[in-house]
Amino acid sequence: RGCVRYQGGSQQSSAQPGSSRHGQSQLRNVASSGAIKKHQKSLSAWFSHQPNEERQFGPSFSLDAVHVDPVIRESSLEEILKPSPDLTIQNQLQQPSRRVIGLHNLFDADACGRQVKNVVLYGTVGTGKSTLIKKMVVDWCHGRLPRFELVIPFSCEDLSHSHAHVSLRRLITKKYQHLRDVVPVLEASNLKVLFILNGLERLNLDFRLAGTELCCDPNEPVAPSAIVVNLLRKYLLPEASIIVTTRPSAVRRIPGKYVGRYAEICGFSDTNLQKLYFQMRLSQPGCTGEESQDRSSAEQENLVEMLSRNLERHNQITAACFLPSYCWLVCTTLHFLYFTRTVPPSQTLTGIYTSFLRLNFSGEVLDSTDPTHISMMKYVAKTVGKLAYEGVMSRKTCFSEEDLQQCFEVEMKTESELNLLEVFRSDVFRFFLSPCVQPGKEHTFVFTIPAMQEYLAALYVVLGEKKTLAQRVGQELSEVIGKVSEDVAVVLNIISKVLPLRFLPVLFNLLKIFPRYFSRVSGKDKDTIAHTMAEELFKEEDYYNDDVLDQINSSILGVEGPMRHPDEAPDDEVFELFPIFMGGILSRRNRAILEQLGCSIKNLAAFEIAKAMKKTVIRKGRRGLPPSELMDYLFFLHEFQNERFTAEAIRSLRAVNLSSVKMTPLKCSVLAAVMSTTCHEVEELNLTSCNLDSSSLRTLFPVLLRCKALHLQLNSLGSDACKEIRDLLLHDKCAVSSLRLANNPVGEQGARYLAEALAGNRSLTRLSLLHTALGDPGAEAIARHLAENQQLQELNLGYNSLTDAAALRVVEVAKRHETLDKVHLYFNDISEDGKRALDSLRMDRDGVRALVFLTAGTDVSDYWSHILNVVQRNLPFWDRERVRQHLALLLQDLESSRSQTANPWRKAKFLRVESEVKKMLGKLQDGTL
């Protein structure tokens, strides 16, 4: 049956005479003059141009260098029209019965040996139709498509906006002026021409003779749609080859007899293609912005390796990356998370998702034949957004067919609505929802990327689609009355002049009351949106989860470690991105992009939502939030991109505790950007155990300057970081009065940098260098510069392997210091002789207290509990054997001092402290401490 079908112009036509030698000679002259070469150069420049979203992948990024061809399978009209099978992951990824065909082989002879002239290339949204066509054109421009001597691409979207009649000759020269000398001989030559018609769903084609007359003259002006129809009929330029791209719903607009081959773009149905795509995208030189190529290459390779391992586990991300568009989203998100140095400061996660939707939908209408012309994104926000919102509210990520029917079909009333739903299911459904890969849930659906559910739920709420029936009816009545009120006013004014009826002005005013009243009532919607945003942002049950950026990272790269057992109860679903996306969507940039997609959010609405939200958010943000939740709050302010709002919120934060939050370069940039909206001093900034390094300190430099108490313990900060801290402390605007650097590998060189800082600093009063590997040289360096300092009151050099000489040197300098009255020297290698020497120095000047042991002569030190508390807090980060040895020495010292006193009160104090030390030693040996 397929062999006897009319093969889209594949039969040898005898309607046109053979080309004359004169025409061929003239064409050869034109070609030699460089007209086609100029055309190739122009096309290459145009189709190689990348949108702004691609610039982050590095200066060397180009479509020609990193493109991965998706799988293309040969199809037929019968397969397209038959009911689709159950949408499970097996049916989506495994289609062995259909032949795979390469892009350059689309015009090969068919199974019956007939030449193919017309090819329909179709695929759902996100499968890469436009990118594939771009690559095809670029290949021809670079000589990699020798089958055709001339390629003429047309955008059907562009043609759909042209209503004036135009000839094919004029249409070509209008779009491509370099071909003005080629077009006149196009029909009379044997030139192998390929027409590309991209996005056929944008055109309403009528192949009936009554709707579109026959036309074989390229000089005759007709409608652009008539040109397309006659090209496909092979009535106009019958020897030309044509490739059409379209969505599945529009395939049937072309009668099957005019199509030589149907081909479906199936995306990256092979995980090896997904891996290749990520390898090429994430390994572009220069995309990380790192000065060290070795470091950036290692980080890129690590990312690719982690992503590959996650793909091999056949997680949900494998199903998501079936669509090349989602592979792009994964790469862009990873660039945002890891290579922030090349991302513009205003780049946000919400902006990435909004731009992603713009790249895939670009303001397209769902169905060009529908009179409502509703944009595809607006339809998605109303339907899929509702499903996403209800899932967020019920903490659900898997949806059954019944759930889909309730969201999509419950309000279907007209034929038009049902047609739109059919087009949506055919073209768009699989872009947002994919089969679940979890065992036992194969016939349920999840959002292709988990964060997309939260984005669409946020869009649904911010657009005001979450309305009750009364609100919808009221809005429709208000719009109707508002539209006719002006006409009614004119009529009533005329009647009142002719007939002096007193009730007419009253009737007129009543008509005006309803729209005004409804506008006041509808203003409450903004309060509801603001309340929803604030409540979701500060949900207490989410307080102790990972911050949202770590959650996104885990969802893409997976979680290292043993896989969860199928029978194990899953963790509760977390939707902490939902309120953050709500704030991000309200930013000016994202609202402008959504306006292009047909989702309008007015400036006044955004202002009213921000105003209603301000008091609640600032009041709740002022409370002591856990570190991960505070990071989410700061990220929300960054996504919101409202400087005045952020400034008021940050001004209320006097203490910022981000301890144990892994401060990636992105999080450091977010913290710096958000805190830079104000100039107020921060009472305390706690960055303990945050994986900071020297580059992190450089990013945070403006913030650190304004902090009074700065906690930088447990960050592996070495000499390079100490150099940054030196510059910080020597800055004339430095406000740091307390600096804790405990448990960092500062070392001798780092101590020299800090000693230089001590000499010139005018704000620091407390410095903790506990367990920083200073050694005697480091302590000596600090002692040499200590005399030049005039403000320091407390210095902690405990657990630094100091010997008697270095400890005595430090205390001697401290003895002459005007303000320094407390030096911590416990857990150092100080002998009994050294202890006695330190005691004698302490006796010479009562103001200096050297905390070395738990005893002070024949009495218990006043700071014994402080020393033991320091040990207990830092034990997880110290050498347990060394701690045990020091505790044993402290115990011996306590027993020796107790034996030297006859005072029963002092003996009781010694016994109490001894019992505490023994208890700690016992727990240390048992492993319970």
Side-chain angles (χ1 to χ4, degrees):
R1 180 182 176 185
C3 295
V4 299
R5 186 182 59 192
Y6 182 81
Q7 291 294 318
S10 62
Q11 297 172 350
Q12 298 296 325
S13 173
S14 58
Q16 300 295 333
S19 59
S20 65
R21 292 185 179 180
H22 174 71
Q24 291 183 4
S25 174
Q26 187 177 359
L27 181 61
R28 295 288 182 266
N29 293 334
V30 171
S32 63
S33 68
I36 293 182
K37 290 183 178 179
K38 288 181 180 179
H39 177 61
Q40 286 178 323
K41 185 177 180 180
S42 175
L43 278 184
S44 177
W46 177 256
F47 280 87
S48 298
H49 176 73
Q50 298 296 326
N52 293 335
E53 290 82 358
E54 298 284 28
R55 294 179 183 176
Q56 63 187 301
F57 289 105
S60 61
F61 175 82
S62 67
L63 178 67
D64 193 39
V66 301
H67 180 75
V68 178
D69 284 337
V71 173
I72 303 174
R73 298 186 186 277
E74 192 165 6
S75 182
S76 65
L77 188 60
E78 289 78 7
E79 289 187 25
I80 297 171
L81 296 179
K82 73 179 181 182
S84 60
D86 291 340
L87 190 59
T88 62
I89 195 65
Q90 289 78 14
N91 289 330
Q92 193 172 15
L93 298 181
Q94 301 174 5
Q95 296 172 330
S97 60
R98 296 168 58 187
R99 186 171 73 92
V100 175
I101 186 170
L103 178 64
H104 293 177
N105 303 114
L106 290 174
F107 290 92
D108 288 353
D110 62 9
C112 298
R114 291 178 173 274
Q115 184 182 5
V116 173
K117 287 293 186 180
N118 291 352
V119 173
V120 172
L121 188 63
Y122 69 95
T124 59
V125 173
T127 49
K129 298 183 295 297
S130 298
T131 305
L132 200 62
I133 291 302
K134 281 185 178 181
K135 182 62 169 55
M136 190 176 190
V137 173
V138 171
D139 281 351
W140 175 75
C141 293
H142 293 167
R144 293 192 291 267
L145 196 64
R147 182 190 296 268
F148 301 106
E149 298 170 311
L150 179 62
V151 171
I152 304 176
F154 284 118
S155 166
C156 292
E157 179 186 10
D158 183 28
L159 297 179
S160 68
H161 295 305
S162 177
H163 302 292
H165 284 205
V166 63
S167 66
L168 176 61
R169 176 178 177 178
R170 173 60 184 146
L171 185 63
I172 296 174
T173 56
K174 181 181 178 182
K175 305 298 180 185
Y176 306 106
Q177 60 176 350
H178 298 299
L179 299 179
R180 59 181 177 271
D181 296 328
V182 178
V183 172
V185 296
L186 200 59
E187 188 178 16
S189 68
N190 285 328
L191 195 67
K192 297 176 181 177
V193 182
L194 171 65
F195 286 97
I196 298 177
L197 302 173
N198 188 31
L200 190 75
E201 68 275 356
R202 306 291 187 93
L203 283 175
N204 293 328
L205 302 182
D206 189 351
F207 279 81
R208 299 172 304 161
L209 289 177
T212 304
E213 63 179 350
L214 296 175
C215 175
C216 62
D217 185 2
N219 297 311
E220 182 181 348
V222 293
S225 60
I227 293 177
V228 172
V229 168
N230 282 290
L231 282 173
L232 290 170
R233 284 171 172 167
K234 312 314 293 179
Y235 203 74
L236 185 61
L237 298 184
E239 295 303 319
S241 299
I242 302 172
I243 184 169
V244 173
T245 68
T246 184
R247 301 201 305 258
S249 64
V251 169
R252 65 195 69 183
R253 294 184 190 178
I254 306 176
K257 64 181 180 179
Y258 298 130
V259 180
R261 172 172 283 128
Y262 291 96
E264 181 183 10
I265 304 179
C266 298
F268 296 153
S269 56
D270 185 353
T271 54
N272 290 324
L273 291 178
Q274 299 174 7
K275 292 179 183 179
L276 179 61
Y277 182 95
F278 293 130
Q279 178 72 38
M280 298 178 74
R281 282 270 176 166
L282 294 174
S283 301
Q284 283 295 300
C287 69
T288 64
E290 286 277 2
E291 296 178 1
S292 171
Q293 281 298 114
D294 294 338
R295 178 180 173 182
S296 63
S297 298
E299 190 169 13
Q300 288 171 315
E301 290 174 5
N302 184 45
L303 274 181
V304 174
E305 177 63 26
M306 293 177 67
L307 193 53
S308 296
R309 286 203 300 268
N310 201 23
L311 290 172
E312 289 168 1
R313 295 190 189 107
H314 299 289
N315 288 338
Q316 198 64 50
I317 191 173
T318 309
C321 293
F322 169 81
L323 293 173
S325 293
Y326 277 98
C327 292
W328 181 92
L329 180 61
V330 167
C331 288
T332 307
T333 305
L334 287 176
H335 270 268
F336 179 67
L337 292 176
Y338 285 90
F339 309 134
T340 317
R341 300 166 190 84
T342 59
V343 177
S346 60
Q347 180 67 69
T348 63
L349 184 66
T350 315
I352 288 175
Y353 276 74
T354 308
S355 298
F356 168 69
L357 294 174
R358 184 185 69 81
L359 289 173
N360 284 279
F361 294 97
S362 61
E364 287 187 53
V365 296
L366 182 60
D367 185 4
S368 60
T369 63
D370 187 78
T372 61
H373 291 288
I374 184 172
S375 77
M376 196 180 297
M377 197 61 230
K378 180 69 173 178
Y379 187 87
V380 167
K382 291 168 68 72
T383 54
V384 188
K386 180 183 178 183
L387 180 72
Y389 173 75
E390 291 182 355
V392 168
M393 289 297 101
S394 58
R395 293 197 166 232
K396 183 168 67 172
T397 57
C398 291
F399 303 93
S400 64
E401 188 66 37
E402 291 74 17
D403 296 329
L404 302 183
Q405 289 176 358
Q406 286 184 358
C407 283
F408 296 141
E409 301 177 11
V410 70
E411 296 181 4
M412 294 294 151
K413 301 175 183 177
T414 65
E415 182 72 17
S416 174
E417 290 174 336
L418 289 174
N419 290 338
L420 288 175
L421 177 61
E422 185 64 28
V423 172
F424 168 79
R425 279 190 172 273
S426 171
D427 298 349
V428 191
F429 179 85
R430 282 185 289 178
F431 184 82
F432 291 104
L433 293 159
S434 62
C436 183
V437 300
Q438 294 181 23
K441 297 183 178 181
E442 290 83 358
H443 293 280
T444 61
F445 299 91
V446 295
F447 278 84
T448 311
I449 290 285
M452 185 59 74
Q453 177 178 354
E454 298 176 79
Y455 181 92
L456 292 178
L459 184 62
Y460 176 75
V461 174
V462 173
L463 285 175
E465 295 295 336
K466 188 173 73 73
K467 293 185 177 72
T468 63
L469 179 61
Q471 288 174 325
R472 291 177 182 174
V473 172
Q475 183 179 17
E476 292 175 1
L477 284 174
S478 176
E479 291 175 354
V480 171
I481 295 175
K483 289 177 182 177
V484 303
S485 60
E486 294 182 3
D487 298 333
V488 172
V490 174
V491 174
L492 291 178
N493 284 332
I494 295 173
I495 295 176
S496 62
K497 291 179 181 179
V498 179
L499 300 174
L501 300 176
R502 297 181 180 179
F503 70 90
L504 290 178
V506 176
L507 179 61
F508 174 62
N509 289 330
L510 286 174
L511 286 172
K512 284 185 173 181
I513 284 175
F514 186 82
R516 292 175 184 172
Y517 173 77
F518 182 78
S519 64
R520 292 180 183 177
V521 173
S522 62
K524 300 293 183 181
D525 293 346
K526 312 301 185 296
D527 295 338
T528 304
I529 294 172
H531 177 75
T532 301
M533 197 182 307
E535 289 298 320
E536 291 293 325
L537 186 62
F538 298 104
K539 258 189 174 177
E540 293 188 7
E541 54 262 42
D542 296 334
Y543 268 13
Y544 298 99
N545 299 321
D546 291 339
D547 63 78
V548 292
L549 293 174
D550 284 349
Q551 292 175 27
I552 295 171
N553 184 68
S554 299
S555 70
I556 295 175
L557 298 180
V559 179
E560 296 296 326
M563 297 184 67
R564 182 190 299 275
H565 192 274
D567 297 333
E568 185 179 348
D571 296 331
D572 290 337
E573 300 294 348
V574 177
F575 297 99
E576 293 183 89
L577 268 175
F578 170 53
I580 293 174
F581 277 143
M582 288 177 70
I585 287 171
L586 289 172
S587 69
R588 185 180 298 275
R589 178 179 177 274
N590 287 317
R591 285 190 286 116
I593 297 176
L594 287 169
E595 181 76 32
Q596 301 172 19
L597 297 177
C599 299
S600 178
I601 304 171
K602 302 299 182 185
N603 289 333
L604 181 60
F607 173 78
E608 289 177 348
I609 293 171
K611 183 179 178 181
M613 182 179 58
K614 185 180 298 182
K615 290 183 179 180
T616 306
V617 167
I618 292 177
R619 185 183 73 252
K620 292 191 175 185
R622 196 181 293 123
R623 301 182 310 189
L625 298 173
S628 60
E629 192 68 16
L630 179 59
M631 188 67 240
D632 290 346
Y633 179 47
L634 296 173
F635 189 58
F636 165 79
L637 295 175
H638 172 70
E639 293 284 312
F640 197 26
Q641 295 285 294
N642 186 324
E643 192 168 336
R644 289 181 60 186
F645 183 97
T646 301
E648 290 189 42
I650 292 299
R651 205 173 288 119
S652 65
L653 291 178
R654 292 295 174 180
V656 179
N657 180 12
L658 295 173
S659 61
S660 301
V661 173
K662 185 179 180 181
M663 294 299 291
T664 61
L666 172 61
K667 294 177 190 175
C668 291
S669 299
V670 168
L671 177 59
V674 169
M675 298 297 289
S676 67
T677 56
T678 67
C679 299
H680 77 288
E681 287 189 351
V682 180
E683 294 293 333
E684 181 181 2
L685 176 60
N686 190 344
L687 295 174
T688 301
S689 187
C690 289
N691 293 85
L692 299 179
D693 55 16
S694 56
S695 63
S696 305
L697 297 180
R698 279 194 294 272
T699 303
L700 294 171
F701 192 90
V703 180
L704 303 181
L705 277 177
R706 295 154 38 199
C707 299
K708 291 184 178 180
L710 186 57
H711 303 266
L712 298 176
Q713 307 98 298
L714 293 164
N715 279 295
S716 301
L717 298 176
S719 58
D720 291 342
C722 290
K723 190 175 181 180
E724 301 295 331
I725 295 173
R726 178 198 64 182
D727 297 341
L728 172 72
L729 294 175
L730 292 177
H731 197 281
D732 56 352
K733 293 184 179 180
C734 178
V736 178
S737 61
S738 175
L739 175 61
R740 294 186 180 181
L741 287 169
N743 300 307
N744 283 299
V746 171
E748 180 184 343
Q749 184 58 47
R752 291 195 178 98
Y753 288 134
L754 295 176
E756 293 176 22
L758 279 177
N761 179 265
R762 297 292 179 268
S763 63
L764 196 63
T765 59
R766 288 177 176 80
L767 175 63
S768 174
L769 296 174
L770 175 70
H771 191 219
T772 51
L774 298 181
D776 285 353
E780 289 284 351
I782 289 175
R784 282 195 300 271
H785 291 80
L786 196 56
E788 302 174 48
N789 181 278
Q790 299 176 357
Q791 282 79 29
L792 197 65
Q793 298 174 11
E794 184 176 352
L795 176 64
N796 191 336
L797 299 178
Y799 203 154
N800 274 296
S801 302
L802 304 187
T803 60
D804 295 353
L808 287 169
R809 172 67 175 147
V810 170
V811 176
E812 283 175 355
V813 175
K815 178 182 173 182
R816 297 189 295 270
H817 199 282
E818 294 182 1
T819 58
L820 186 60
D821 67 346
K822 192 184 297 181
V823 179
H824 301 250
L825 293 170
Y826 38 80
F827 275 65
N828 282 303
D829 301 332
I830 300 173
S831 65
E832 283 294 327
D833 293 338
K835 177 192 173 185
R836 284 192 291 272
L838 290 171
D839 283 341
S840 64
L841 285 174
R842 183 183 62 83
M843 294 299 292
D844 291 343
R845 178 174 177 262
D846 292 334
V848 177
R849 284 163 288 184
L851 311 183
V852 185
F853 289 92
L854 301 180
T855 59
T858 57
D859 198 359
V860 175
S861 170
D862 294 337
Y863 299 97
W864 70 269
S865 61
H866 171 77
I867 295 174
L868 291 182
N869 285 333
V870 168
V871 174
Q872 192 161 2
R873 282 200 310 269
N874 291 277
L875 190 59
F877 322 109
W878 290 358
D879 182 355
R880 287 177 171 262
E881 180 58 28
R882 187 172 178 184
V883 171
R884 190 191 63 77
Q885 294 174 4
H886 275 284
L887 287 175
L889 290 174
L890 290 177
L891 185 59
Q892 291 177 11
D893 181 61
L894 285 168
E895 292 171 347
S896 175
S897 298
R898 175 166 56 85
S899 65
Q900 297 174 14
T901 181
N903 188 320
W905 174 249
R906 288 184 179 179
K907 282 184 178 290
K909 289 171 65 177
F910 275 115
L911 289 171
R912 179 190 172 194
V913 178
E914 286 174 33
S915 67
E916 291 293 332
V917 175
K918 288 177 180 177
K919 189 186 299 182
M920 189 174 290
L921 273 170
K923 290 183 177 179
L924 190 60
Q925 290 173 353
D926 296 340
T928 57
L929 186 62

